[in-house]
């Protein structure tokens, strides 16, 4: 019988790529999103399919899904530092109340649930590269606390449902991932630099540019998540690309790639911005037989082509997404 999967955050960057993947694998996909940060453009190509339905819903409210459910993928959350600064309370609620509702739904339906956690649970890490057994270094009351602590709570409640209710749970810790369908103005470094380069603006490096990140191309990330869902491993697993680069070097790389004549300008480093980040993926290699296949040169080329293909007004629409009524003062 055809498997049915619920994907939350389905209109977002990773959620939409997961919809594509599970449709391709022959699943019936129920895509859920409240569209605060997501965009229907990312999934509109799926609307005509019989095996796909969209449900406009805020998962912090009770969730009703008729019929059988075999799997749940929980990818609903603001995920860029600017987003969660603008909507901190929704960020806390979706990771806590939203996750609780989904765990209850999974229990009711006897479904396996995979939740999207993040390298942010390691905070500004004192262990490098980050292994799954590192507990992290998070400032609970800093600007990133709303995201980091929501995700840490999400892991805890998921484990509690696993041990107390015997629920089948999976936890992926996602490291910086990029590719087509990232929001151009979400403030994250890859769309920010590409947007600046394409508009002919200077590239804004925060701090002195010595902080590091390790960027994973989206198709590799989706493959890791897919394998983890179908594995029998219930503890957290890092999925990311271990190839680390400083943000300063990365800005130079983007300027070369886009033939940009502008320069780099330096701005203040945001509070609690992690100074280094690189996943240790030994565990993922061992239990999932997974490692990234797409290097940055290849992934960035595809991503750059995607951003170049956007209508010009998108590129010059510089204001951050207007969250309107969703912003609670
Ligand atoms: N960053 C930057 N310039 C920008 C946007 C981001 O130098 O215009 C830096 C940011 O301070 C961080 C890194 O790039 O050190 C990655 O930021 P991003 O927001 O993509 O994600 P994070 O990994 O911090 O969650």
């Amino acid at each position: 019988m055809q498997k049915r999967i619920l994907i939350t955050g389905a209109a977002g960057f990773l959620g939409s790529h997961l919809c594509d993947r599970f449709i391709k694998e022959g699943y019936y996909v129920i895509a859920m999103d409240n569209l605060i940060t997501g965009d229907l453009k990312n999934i509109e190509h799926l609307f005509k399919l019989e095996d796909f339905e969209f449900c406009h819903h805020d998962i912090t409210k009770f969730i009703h899904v008729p019929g059988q459910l075999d799997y749940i993928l929980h990818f609903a959350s603001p995920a860029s530092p600017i987003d969660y600064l603008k909507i901190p309370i929704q960020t806390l609620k979706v990771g806590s109340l939203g996750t609780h509702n989904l765990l209850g739904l999974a229990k009711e339906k006897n479904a396996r649930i995979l939740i999207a956690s993040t390298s942010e649970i390691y905070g500004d890490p004192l262990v490098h590269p980050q292994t799954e057994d590192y507990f992290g270094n998070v400032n609970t009351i800093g600007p990133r606390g709303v995201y980091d602590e929501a995700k840490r709570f999400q892991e805890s409640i998921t484990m509690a449902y696993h041990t107390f209710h015997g629920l089948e749970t999976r936890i992926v810790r996602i490291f910086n991932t990029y590719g087509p369908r990232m929001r151009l103005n979400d403030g994250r470094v890859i769309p920010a630099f590409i947007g600046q380069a394409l508009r002919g603006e200077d590239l804004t490096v925060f701090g002195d540019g010595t902080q590091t990140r390790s960027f994973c191309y989206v198709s590799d990330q989706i493959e890791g998540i897919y394998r983890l869902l179908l594995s029998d491993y219930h503890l957290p697993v890092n999925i990311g690309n271990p190839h680390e680069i400083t943000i300063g070097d990365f800005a130079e790389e983007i300027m070369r790639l886009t033939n940009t004549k502008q320069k780099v300008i330096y701005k203040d480093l945001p509070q609690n911005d992690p100074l280094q980040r690189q996943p240790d993926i030994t565990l993922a290699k061992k239990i999932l037989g997974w490692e990234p296949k797409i290097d940055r040169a290849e992934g960035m080329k595809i991503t750059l082509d995607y951003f170049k293909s956007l209508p010009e007004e998108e590129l010059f629409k510089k204001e951050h997404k207007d969250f309107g009524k969703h912003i609670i003062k």
Side-chain angles (χ1 to χ4, degrees):
M1 196 152 101
Q2 188 182 32
K3 300 277 188 212
R4 287 164 55 90
I5 187 165
L6 169 69
I7 302 179
T8 73
F13 167 48
L14 291 179
S16 66
H17 284 283
L18 286 165
C19 289
D20 286 342
R21 175 65 186 258
F22 281 87
I23 284 287
K24 202 170 127 214
E25 299 288 345
Y27 287 65
Y28 186 91
V29 172
I30 302 163
M32 195 172 274
D33 206 299
N34 66 357
L35 302 178
I36 297 189
T37 56
D39 194 327
L40 282 182
K41 270 204 313 269
N42 292 332
I43 46 172
E44 65 189 2
H45 58 286
L46 300 173
F47 275 62
K48 58 181 182 298
L49 303 180
E50 269 183 11
D51 293 337
F52 180 85
E53 68 182 84
F54 177 68
C55 179
H56 186 192
H57 184 68
D58 175 351
I59 60 159
T60 66
K61 311 277 188 324
F62 183 83
I63 308 164
H64 174 66
V65 176
Q68 148 229 346
L69 263 189
D70 301 287
Y71 299 105
I72 298 174
L73 295 179
H74 179 19
F75 280 71
S77 176
S80 90
I82 291 193
D83 283 351
Y84 43 80
L85 276 179
K86 284 208 158 193
I87 40 174
I89 297 167
Q90 285 80 0
T91 303
L92 281 158
K93 282 170 73 179
V94 73
S96 53
L97 307 180
T99 303
H100 185 214
N101 285 337
L102 285 169
L103 288 164
L105 179 68
K107 181 162 144 284
E108 170 70 25
K109 301 280 184 184
N110 212 4
R112 180 181 296 180
I113 180 168
L114 179 146
I115 62 139
S117 187
T118 163
S119 54
E120 282 285 322
I121 66 106
Y122 300 122
D124 191 1
L126 305 176
V127 163
H128 193 72
Q130 292 78 57
T131 43
E132 286 85 350
D133 56 7
Y134 175 50
F135 295 162
N137 177 36
V138 170
N139 176 5
T140 57
I141 56 166
R144 289 174 177 253
V146 295
Y147 183 64
D148 300 6
E149 292 301 338
K151 290 292 187 179
R152 290 170 69 94
F153 172 84
Q154 186 184 49
E155 290 198 5
S156 303
I157 192 171
T158 300
M159 284 305 294
Y161 267 73
H162 174 78
T163 44
F164 191 74
H165 290 304
L167 197 68
E168 285 216 47
T169 56
R170 305 287 180 268
I171 299 174
V172 58
R173 288 187 182 150
I174 296 170
F175 282 66
N176 294 66
T177 298
Y178 69 99
R181 301 187 195 152
M182 291 188 96
R183 233 169 63 225
L184 190 60
N185 297 313
D186 79 355
R188 279 186 281 192
V189 69
I190 291 189
F193 283 174
I194 292 181
Q196 288 162 347
L198 295 183
R199 289 190 297 267
E201 297 169 0
D202 294 334
L203 271 61
T204 53
V205 167
F206 298 161
D208 62 5
T210 55
Q211 74 272 34
T212 68
R213 293 294 185 273
S214 311
F215 298 108
C216 181
Y217 186 65
V218 62
S219 60
D220 284 330
Q221 183 63 246
I222 298 298
E223 180 63 29
I225 293 165
Y226 181 77
R227 290 189 190 199
L228 179 60
L229 178 70
L230 300 184
S231 77
D232 57 8
Y233 192 79
H234 73 278
L235 296 174
V237 179
N238 290 339
I239 298 288
N241 188 320
H243 193 172
E244 189 179 6
I245 185 170
T246 69
I247 295 300
D249 287 347
F250 185 55
E252 301 285 338
E253 193 174 287
I254 296 223
M255 293 204 295
R256 277 197 302 278
L257 207 64
T258 53
N259 288 318
T260 305
K261 305 280 175 289
Q262 287 69 28
K263 56 183 189 312
V264 163
I265 52 171
Y266 293 88
K267 296 205 165 176
D268 288 346
L269 190 67
Q271 196 188 339
N272 301 138
D273 195 295
L275 292 181
Q276 50 182 1
R277 182 180 291 156
Q278 186 202 117
D280 183 315
I281 58 165
T282 311
L283 183 65
K285 278 186 187 159
K286 186 168 149 227
I287 61 161
L288 308 176
W290 174 89
E291 62 183 318
K293 299 263 181 295
I294 310 279
D295 65 16
R296 218 173 38 246
E298 191 181 349
M300 283 303 297
K301 190 181 169 317
I302 306 168
T303 307
L304 187 59
D305 287 346
Y306 166 78
F307 282 111
K308 280 183 178 164
S309 75
L310 294 178
E312 187 139 316
E313 67 264 22
E314 282 278 305
L315 192 61
F316 283 88
K317 199 169 67 188
K318 283 178 66 183
E319 75 281 0
H320 190 264
K321 187 164 172 130
D322 179 12
F323 293 121
K325 64 182 165 50
H326 300 294
I327 296 182
I328 296 174
K329 297 253 166 42

